[in-house]
Coordinates of all heavy atoms in Angstrom, one line a residue:
M308 N 5.6 -19.4 27.6 CA 5.6 -18.6 28.8 C 7.0 -18.3 29.3 O 7.2 -17.2 29.6 CB 4.8 -19.2 29.8 CG 3.2 -19.3 29.5 SD 2.4 -17.8 29.6 CE 1.1 -18.0 30.7
A309 N 7.8 -19.4 29.3 CA 9.1 -19.2 29.8 C 9.9 -18.2 29.0 O 10.9 -17.6 29.5 CB 9.8 -20.6 29.8
D310 N 9.7 -18.0 27.7 CA 10.4 -17.2 26.9 C 10.0 -15.8 26.8 O 10.6 -14.8 26.2 CB 10.4 -17.7 25.3 CG 11.1 -18.9 25.2 OD1 12.1 -19.3 25.9 OD2 10.7 -19.7 24.3
G311 N 9.0 -15.5 27.5 CA 8.4 -14.1 27.6 C 7.4 -13.7 26.6 O 7.1 -14.5 25.7
D312 N 6.9 -12.6 26.6 CA 5.9 -12.1 25.7 C 6.4 -11.5 24.4 O 7.2 -10.7 24.4 CB 5.1 -10.9 26.4 CG 4.0 -10.3 25.6 OD1 3.6 -11.0 24.6 OD2 3.4 -9.4 26.0
R313 N 6.0 -12.3 23.3 CA 6.5 -11.9 22.0 C 5.5 -11.1 21.2 O 5.7 -10.7 20.2 CB 6.8 -13.2 21.2 CG 7.9 -14.0 21.8 CD 8.2 -15.1 20.8 NE 9.3 -15.9 21.4 CZ 9.3 -17.3 21.6 NH1 8.2 -18.0 21.2 NH2 10.2 -17.8 22.1
T314 N 4.4 -10.6 21.9 CA 3.4 -9.8 21.3 C 3.9 -8.6 20.7 O 3.4 -8.3 19.5 CB 2.3 -9.4 22.3 OG1 1.8 -10.7 22.9 CG2 1.1 -8.7 21.7
P315 N 4.8 -7.8 21.1 CA 5.3 -6.6 20.5 C 6.0 -6.8 19.1 O 6.0 -6.0 18.3 CB 6.3 -6.0 21.5 CG 5.8 -6.6 22.9 CD 5.3 -8.0 22.6
L316 N 6.5 -8.2 18.9 CA 7.2 -8.4 17.8 C 6.2 -8.7 16.6 O 6.5 -8.6 15.4 CB 8.0 -9.6 17.9 CG 9.1 -9.6 19.0 CD1 9.8 -10.8 19.1 CD2 10.1 -8.5 18.6
L317 N 4.9 -9.0 16.9 CA 3.9 -9.5 15.9 C 3.7 -8.3 14.9 O 3.5 -8.5 13.7 CB 2.6 -9.9 16.5 CG 2.7 -11.1 17.4 CD1 1.4 -11.4 18.1 CD2 3.1 -12.3 16.6
S318 N 3.6 -7.0 15.4 CA 3.4 -6.0 14.5 C 4.5 -5.7 13.5 O 4.3 -5.0 12.5 CB 3.1 -4.7 15.3 OG 4.3 -4.3 16.0
R319 N 5.6 -6.3 13.7 CA 6.8 -6.2 12.7 C 6.7 -7.2 11.6 O 7.5 -7.2 10.6 CB 8.1 -6.4 13.5 CG 8.3 -5.2 14.4 CD 9.4 -5.4 15.4 NE 10.6 -5.9 14.8 CZ 11.7 -6.3 15.4 NH1 11.7 -6.1 16.7 NH2 12.8 -6.7 14.8
I320 N 5.8 -8.1 11.6 CA 5.6 -9.1 10.7 C 5.1 -8.5 9.3 O 4.0 -7.9 9.3 CB 4.7 -10.4 11.1 CG1 5.4 -11.1 12.1 CG2 4.4 -11.3 9.8 CD1 4.6 -12.1 12.8
T321 N 5.8 -8.6 8.2 CA 5.3 -8.0 7.0 C 5.0 -9.0 5.9 O 4.4 -8.7 4.9 CB 6.3 -7.0 6.4 OG1 7.5 -7.7 6.2 CG2 6.6 -5.8 7.4
A322 N 5.4 -10.2 6.1 CA 5.1 -11.3 5.2 C 3.6 -11.6 5.2 O 2.9 -11.5 6.3 CB 5.9 -12.6 5.5
P323 N 3.0 -12.1 4.0 CA 1.7 -12.5 4.0 C 1.5 -13.6 5.0 O 2.3 -14.5 5.2 CB 1.5 -13.0 2.6 CG 2.5 -12.3 1.8 CD 3.7 -12.1 2.7
T324 N 0.5 -13.5 5.9 CA 0.3 -14.4 7.0 C -1.1 -14.9 7.1 O -2.1 -14.3 6.8 CB 0.6 -13.7 8.3 OG1 1.9 -13.1 8.3 CG2 0.5 -14.5 9.5
R325 N -1.1 -16.3 7.4 CA -2.5 -16.9 7.6 C -2.5 -17.5 8.9 O -1.7 -18.4 9.2 CB -2.7 -18.0 6.4 CG -4.0 -18.7 6.4 CD -4.1 -19.7 5.3 NE -5.4 -20.1 5.0 CZ -6.3 -19.6 4.1 NH1 -5.9 -18.4 3.5 NH2 -7.5 -19.9 4.0
I326 N -3.6 -17.2 9.6 CA -3.7 -17.9 11.0 C -4.7 -19.1 10.8 O -5.9 -18.8 10.4 CB -4.3 -16.9 12.0 CG1 -3.5 -15.5 12.0 CG2 -4.6 -17.4 13.4 CD1 -2.1 -15.6 12.4
V327 N -4.2 -20.2 11.1 CA -5.1 -21.5 11.0 C -5.2 -21.9 12.5 O -4.2 -22.1 13.2 CB -4.3 -22.5 10.2 CG1 -5.1 -23.8 10.2 CG2 -4.0 -22.1 8.9
H328 N -6.4 -22.0 12.9 CA -6.8 -22.4 14.3 C -8.0 -23.3 14.3 O -9.0 -23.0 13.7 CB -6.9 -21.1 15.1 CG -6.9 -21.3 16.5 ND1 -5.7 -20.9 17.2 CD2 -7.7 -21.9 17.4 CE1 -5.8 -21.2 18.5 NE2 -7.0 -21.8 18.7
G329 N -7.9 -24.3 15.1 CA -8.9 -25.2 15.4 C -9.9 -24.6 16.3 O -9.5 -24.2 17.4
E330 N -11.2 -24.6 16.0 CA -12.1 -24.1 16.9 C -12.4 -25.0 18.1 O -13.0 -24.5 19.2 CB -13.5 -23.7 16.2 CG -13.4 -22.5 15.3 CD -14.7 -22.3 14.6 OE1 -15.7 -22.9 14.8 OE2 -14.6 -21.1 13.9
A331 N -12.0 -26.2 18.0 CA -12.1 -27.1 19.2 C -10.8 -27.4 19.8 O -10.6 -28.4 20.5 CB -12.8 -28.4 18.6
D332 N -9.8 -26.5 19.6 CA -8.4 -26.8 20.2 C -8.6 -26.7 21.8 O -9.0 -25.7 22.3 CB -7.6 -25.6 19.7 CG -6.2 -25.9 20.1 OD1 -5.8 -26.4 21.2 OD2 -5.3 -25.3 19.4
P333 N -8.3 -27.8 22.4 CA -8.3 -27.9 23.9 C -7.2 -27.2 24.5 O -7.2 -26.9 25.8 CB -8.3 -29.4 24.2 CG -7.6 -30.0 23.0 CD -7.8 -29.1 21.9
L334 N -6.0 -26.8 23.8 CA -4.9 -26.3 24.4 C -4.8 -24.9 24.3 O -4.2 -24.1 25.1 CB -3.6 -27.0 23.8 CG -3.5 -28.5 24.0 CD1 -2.3 -29.0 23.3 CD2 -3.5 -28.8 25.4
V335 N -5.1 -24.3 23.1 CA -5.0 -22.9 22.8 C -6.4 -22.3 22.4 O -7.0 -22.7 21.3 CB -4.0 -22.6 21.6 CG1 -3.8 -21.1 21.4 CG2 -2.6 -23.2 22.0
P336 N -6.9 -21.5 23.2 CA -8.2 -20.9 22.9 C -8.3 -20.2 21.6 O -7.3 -19.6 21.1 CB -8.5 -20.0 24.0 CG -7.6 -20.4 25.1 CD -6.4 -20.9 24.5
V337 N -9.4 -20.2 20.9 CA -9.6 -19.4 19.7 C -9.3 -18.0 19.9 O -8.9 -17.3 18.9 CB -11.1 -19.6 19.2 CG1 -11.4 -18.8 18.0 CG2 -11.3 -21.1 18.7
A338 N -9.6 -17.4 21.1 CA -9.3 -16.1 21.4 C -7.8 -15.8 21.1 O -7.5 -14.6 20.7 CB -9.6 -15.7 22.8
C339 N -6.9 -16.7 21.3 CA -5.5 -16.5 20.9 C -5.3 -16.3 19.5 O -4.5 -15.4 19.1 CB -4.7 -17.7 21.5 SG -4.7 -17.8 23.3
G340 N -5.9 -17.0 18.6 CA -5.9 -16.9 17.2 C -6.5 -15.5 16.8 O -5.9 -14.8 15.9
E341 N -7.5 -15.2 17.5 CA -8.2 -13.8 17.0 C -7.2 -12.7 17.5 O -7.1 -11.7 16.8 CB -9.5 -13.7 17.8 CG -10.5 -14.7 17.3 CD -11.8 -14.8 18.2 OE1 -11.7 -14.4 19.3 OE2 -12.8 -15.3 17.7
Q342 N -6.5 -12.8 18.6 CA -5.5 -11.8 19.0 C -4.3 -11.7 18.0 O -3.9 -10.6 17.7 CB -4.9 -12.1 20.4 CG -5.9 -11.8 21.5 CD -5.2 -12.3 22.8 OE1 -4.3 -13.0 22.9 NE2 -5.9 -11.8 23.9
L343 N -3.9 -12.8 17.4 CA -2.8 -12.8 16.5 C -3.3 -12.0 15.2 O -2.6 -11.1 14.6 CB -2.5 -14.2 16.0 CG -1.7 -15.0 16.9 CD1 -1.5 -16.4 16.4 CD2 -0.2 -14.4 17.2
V344 N -4.5 -12.2 14.8 CA -5.1 -11.6 13.6 C -5.1 -10.0 13.9 O -4.7 -9.2 13.0 CB -6.6 -11.9 13.3 CG1 -7.2 -11.2 12.2 CG2 -6.5 -13.5 13.0
K345 N -5.3 -9.6 15.0 CA -5.4 -8.2 15.4 C -4.1 -7.5 15.3 O -3.8 -6.4 15.2 CB -6.1 -7.9 16.8 CG -7.5 -8.2 16.7 CD -8.1 -8.0 18.0 CE -9.6 -8.3 18.1 NZ -10.2 -8.3 19.4
K346 N -3.0 -8.3 15.7 CA -1.6 -7.9 15.8 C -0.8 -7.9 14.5 O 0.3 -7.3 14.5 CB -0.9 -8.6 17.0 CG -1.6 -8.6 18.3 CD -1.3 -7.3 19.0 CE -1.9 -7.3 20.3 NZ -1.9 -6.1 21.1
I347 N -1.2 -8.8 13.6 CA -0.4 -9.0 12.4 C -1.2 -8.3 11.3 O -2.3 -8.8 10.8 CB -0.2 -10.4 12.0 CG1 0.6 -11.1 13.3 CG2 0.6 -10.6 10.8 CD1 0.8 -12.6 13.2
S348 N -0.7 -7.2 10.7 CA -1.4 -6.5 9.7 C -1.7 -7.3 8.5 O -0.8 -8.0 8.0 CB -0.5 -5.2 9.4 OG -1.1 -4.6 8.3
G349 N -2.9 -7.3 8.0 CA -3.3 -8.1 6.8 C -3.3 -9.6 7.0 O -3.5 -10.2 5.9
A350 N -3.3 -10.1 8.1 CA -3.3 -11.5 8.3 C -4.7 -12.1 7.9 O -5.8 -11.4 8.2 CB -3.1 -11.9 9.8
Q351 N -4.6 -13.2 7.2 CA -5.9 -14.0 6.8 C -6.2 -14.9 7.9 O -5.2 -15.4 8.7 CB -5.7 -14.7 5.5 CG -5.5 -13.8 4.3 CD -5.2 -14.7 3.1 OE1 -5.0 -16.0 3.2 NE2 -5.4 -14.2 2.0
T352 N -7.5 -15.3 8.0 CA -7.8 -16.3 9.1 C -8.4 -17.5 8.4 O -9.0 -17.5 7.4 CB -8.8 -15.7 10.0 OG1 -10.0 -15.3 9.3 CG2 -8.3 -14.5 10.8
D353 N -8.2 -18.7 9.0 CA -8.8 -19.9 8.7 C -9.2 -20.6 10.0 O -8.4 -21.4 10.5 CB -8.0 -20.7 7.8 CG -8.7 -21.9 7.2 OD1 -9.9 -22.0 7.4 OD2 -8.1 -22.7 6.5
F354 N -10.2 -20.3 10.6 CA -10.7 -20.8 11.9 C -11.6 -22.0 11.5 O -12.6 -21.9 10.7 CB -11.5 -19.9 12.7 CG -10.7 -18.8 13.2 CD1 -10.7 -17.6 12.8 CD2 -9.8 -19.1 14.3 CE1 -9.9 -16.5 13.2 CE2 -9.0 -18.0 14.8 CZ -9.1 -16.8 14.3
I355 N -11.2 -23.3 11.9 CA -11.8 -24.5 11.4 C -12.7 -25.2 12.5 O -12.2 -25.6 13.4 CB -10.8 -25.4 10.9 CG1 -9.8 -24.7 9.8 CG2 -11.4 -26.8 10.4 CD1 -8.7 -25.5 9.4
P356 N -14.0 -25.2 12.2 CA -14.9 -25.8 13.1 C -14.5 -27.3 13.3 O -14.3 -28.0 12.4 CB -16.3 -25.7 12.4 CG -16.1 -24.6 11.5 CD -14.7 -24.6 11.0
G357 N -14.5 -27.7 14.6 CA -14.3 -29.1 14.9 C -12.9 -29.5 14.9 O -12.6 -30.7 15.5
M358 N -12.0 -28.7 14.5 CA -10.6 -29.1 14.5 C -10.0 -28.8 15.9 O -10.3 -27.7 16.5 CB -9.8 -28.4 13.4 CG -8.4 -28.9 13.3 SD -7.4 -28.2 11.9 CE -6.7 -26.8 12.8
G359 N -9.2 -29.7 16.4 CA -8.5 -29.5 17.7 C -7.2 -28.9 17.5 O -6.9 -28.1 16.5
H360 N -6.2 -29.4 18.2 CA -4.8 -29.0 18.2 C -4.0 -30.0 17.3 O -3.1 -30.5 17.9 CB -4.3 -28.9 19.7 CG -3.0 -28.1 19.8 ND1 -2.9 -26.8 19.8 CD2 -1.7 -28.6 19.9 CE1 -1.8 -26.4 20.0 NE2 -0.9 -27.4 20.0
D361 N -4.4 -30.1 16.2 CA -3.7 -31.1 15.3 C -3.9 -30.6 13.9 O -4.5 -29.6 13.5 CB -4.3 -32.5 15.4 CG -5.7 -32.6 15.1 OD1 -6.4 -31.6 15.0 OD2 -6.3 -33.7 15.1
L362 N -3.3 -31.2 12.8 CA -3.5 -31.0 11.5 C -4.0 -32.3 10.7 O -3.2 -33.1 10.3 CB -2.2 -30.5 10.8 CG -1.5 -29.2 11.4 CD1 -0.2 -28.9 10.9 CD2 -2.5 -28.1 11.2
P363 N -5.3 -32.4 10.7 CA -5.8 -33.7 10.1 C -5.5 -33.8 8.7 O -5.5 -32.9 7.9 CB -7.4 -33.5 10.3 CG -7.5 -32.4 11.3 CD -6.3 -31.6 11.3
E364 N -5.1 -35.0 8.3 CA -4.7 -35.3 7.0 C -5.8 -34.9 6.0 O -5.5 -34.4 4.8 CB -4.4 -36.8 6.8 CG -3.8 -37.2 5.5 CD -3.2 -38.6 5.4 OE1 -2.9 -39.1 6.5 OE2 -3.2 -39.0 4.2
A365 N -7.0 -35.0 6.3 CA -8.2 -34.7 5.4 C -8.2 -33.3 5.0 O -8.8 -32.9 4.0 CB -9.5 -35.2 6.1
L366 N -7.6 -32.5 5.9 CA -7.5 -31.0 5.7 C -6.4 -30.5 4.9 O -6.2 -29.3 4.6 CB -7.7 -30.2 7.0 CG -9.1 -30.4 7.7 CD1 -9.1 -29.6 9.0 CD2 -10.1 -29.8 6.8
L367 N -5.4 -31.4 4.6 CA -4.2 -31.0 3.9 C -4.4 -30.2 2.6 O -3.8 -29.2 2.4 CB -3.3 -32.2 3.6 CG -2.7 -32.8 4.8 CD1 -1.7 -34.1 4.5 CD2 -1.9 -31.8 5.7
P368 N -5.5 -30.6 1.7 CA -5.8 -29.8 0.6 C -6.2 -28.3 0.9 O -5.7 -27.4 0.3 CB -6.8 -30.5 -0.1 CG -6.7 -31.9 0.3 CD -6.2 -31.8 1.7
R369 N -6.9 -28.2 2.0 CA -7.3 -26.9 2.5 C -6.1 -26.0 2.9 O -6.1 -24.8 2.5 CB -8.2 -27.0 3.7 CG -8.8 -25.7 4.2 CD -9.8 -26.0 5.3 NE -10.3 -24.8 6.0 CZ -11.5 -24.7 6.5 NH1 -12.2 -25.8 6.7 NH2 -11.9 -23.6 7.2
F370 N -5.1 -26.6 3.7 CA -4.0 -25.9 4.1 C -3.1 -25.6 2.9 O -2.5 -24.4 2.8 CB -3.2 -26.8 5.1 CG -3.9 -27.2 6.3 CD1 -3.7 -28.5 6.8 CD2 -4.8 -26.4 6.9 CE1 -4.3 -28.9 8.0 CE2 -5.5 -26.8 8.1 CZ -5.3 -28.1 8.5
A371 N -3.0 -26.5 1.9 CA -2.2 -26.2 0.7 C -2.8 -25.0 -0.1 O -2.0 -24.2 -0.6 CB -2.1 -27.5 -0.1
Q372 N -4.1 -25.1 -0.2 CA -4.7 -23.9 -1.0 C -4.5 -22.7 -0.2 O -4.3 -21.6 -0.9 CB -6.3 -24.2 -1.0 CG -7.0 -23.1 -1.8 CD -6.5 -22.9 -3.1 OE1 -6.2 -23.8 -3.9 NE2 -6.4 -21.7 -3.7
G373 N -4.5 -22.6 1.1 CA -4.2 -21.4 1.9 C -2.8 -20.9 1.6 O -2.5 -19.7 1.5
I374 N -1.8 -21.8 1.5 CA -0.4 -21.5 1.1 C -0.3 -20.9 -0.2 O 0.4 -19.9 -0.4 CB 0.5 -22.7 1.3 CG1 0.6 -23.1 2.7 CG2 1.9 -22.5 0.8 CD1 1.2 -24.4 3.0
V375 N -1.1 -21.5 -1.2 CA -1.1 -20.9 -2.6 C -1.6 -19.6 -2.6 O -1.0 -18.7 -3.3 CB -1.9 -21.9 -3.5 CG1 -2.1 -21.2 -4.8 CG2 -1.2 -23.2 -3.7
E376 N -2.7 -19.3 -1.9 CA -3.3 -18.0 -1.8 C -2.3 -16.9 -1.2 O -2.1 -15.9 -1.7 CB -4.6 -18.0 -1.1 CG -5.7 -18.7 -1.7 CD -6.9 -18.9 -0.8 OE1 -7.0 -18.2 0.2 OE2 -7.8 -19.6 -1.3
L377 N -1.6 -17.4 -0.1 CA -0.6 -16.5 0.4 C 0.6 -16.2 -0.5 O 1.0 -15.0 -0.6 CB 0.0 -17.1 1.7 CG -0.9 -16.9 3.0 CD1 -0.2 -17.5 4.2 CD2 -1.2 -15.4 3.2
A378 N 1.1 -17.2 -1.2 CA 2.2 -17.0 -2.1 C 1.8 -16.2 -3.2 O 2.7 -15.3 -3.6 CB 2.6 -18.5 -2.6
S379 N 0.6 -16.1 -3.6 CA 0.2 -15.3 -4.7 C 0.2 -13.7 -4.2 O 0.3 -12.9 -5.1 CB -1.2 -15.6 -5.4 OG -2.2 -15.4 -4.3
R380 N 0.1 -13.5 -2.9 CA 0.2 -12.2 -2.4 C 1.5 -11.6 -2.2 O 1.7 -10.5 -2.0 CB -0.6 -12.1 -1.1 CG -2.2 -12.3 -1.2 CD -3.0 -12.3 0.0 NE -2.4 -11.4 1.0 CZ -2.5 -11.4 2.4 NH1 -3.1 -12.6 2.9 NH2 -2.0 -10.6 3.1
A381 N 2.5 -12.5 -2.1 CA 3.8 -12.2 -1.7 C 4.5 -11.3 -2.9 O 4.2 -11.5 -4.1 CB 4.6 -13.4 -1.5
P382 N 5.2 -10.3 -2.5 CA 5.9 -9.5 -3.5 C 6.9 -10.4 -4.3 O 7.6 -11.2 -3.6 CB 6.5 -8.3 -2.7 CG 6.6 -8.8 -1.3 CD 5.5 -9.9 -1.2
S383 N 7.1 -10.1 -5.6 CA 8.0 -10.9 -6.3 C 9.4 -10.3 -6.0 O 9.6 -9.2 -5.7 CB 7.7 -10.8 -7.8 OG 7.7 -9.5 -8.2
V384 N 10.3 -11.2 -6.1 CA 11.7 -10.9 -5.8 C 12.5 -11.0 -7.1 O 12.4 -12.0 -7.8 CB 12.4 -11.9 -4.8 CG1 13.9 -11.5 -4.6 CG2 11.6 -11.8 -3.5
K385 N 13.2 -9.8 -7.5 CA 14.0 -9.8 -8.7 C 15.4 -10.3 -8.4 O 16.0 -9.9 -7.5 CB 14.0 -8.4 -9.3 CG 12.6 -8.0 -9.8 CD 12.7 -6.7 -10.3 CE 11.2 -6.1 -10.7 NZ 11.2 -4.9 -11.4
A386 N 15.9 -11.2 -9.3 CA 17.3 -11.7 -9.1 C 18.3 -10.8 -9.6 O 18.1 -10.0 -10.5 CB 17.3 -13.1 -9.8

């Protein structure tokens, strides 16, 4: 809040993006994650039932798989 509204910058994101959000997050409502998806073109979502505002160790394989999927969508860079 103190840094101001960064919403206008979201539409400039071109990198493959995945929004991971706990549906039981007591600090940031799911609606905030849904807004990010609308503002970032092509963003993928991973809304996780029961997850709060943390990254449970049991879900690390799920997070890693999401990273792999995003990396496969990224354009290749020629050296």
Side-chain angles (χ1 to χ4, degrees):
M308 293 288 235
D310 293 333
D312 184 9
R313 296 184 179 134
T314 303
L316 300 174
L317 296 174
S318 65
R319 295 171 43 189
I320 296 174
T321 59
T324 304
R325 183 178 194 91
I326 308 299
V327 177
H328 199 101
E330 291 182 354
D332 188 330
L334 301 176
V335 181
V337 173
C339 293
E341 292 168 346
Q342 286 177 346
L343 286 175
V344 173
K345 291 177 184 174
K346 302 284 184 184
I347 302 172
S348 179
Q351 294 179 346
T352 61
D353 191 5
F354 293 104
I355 303 173
M358 187 175 93
H360 195 79
D361 58 349
L362 298 173
E364 189 173 335
L366 294 177
L367 292 181
R369 179 177 178 157
F370 301 144
Q372 182 60 39
I374 292 168
V375 168
E376 290 172 15
L377 279 183
S379 70
R380 291 179 36 208
S383 60
V384 177
K385 294 182 181 180

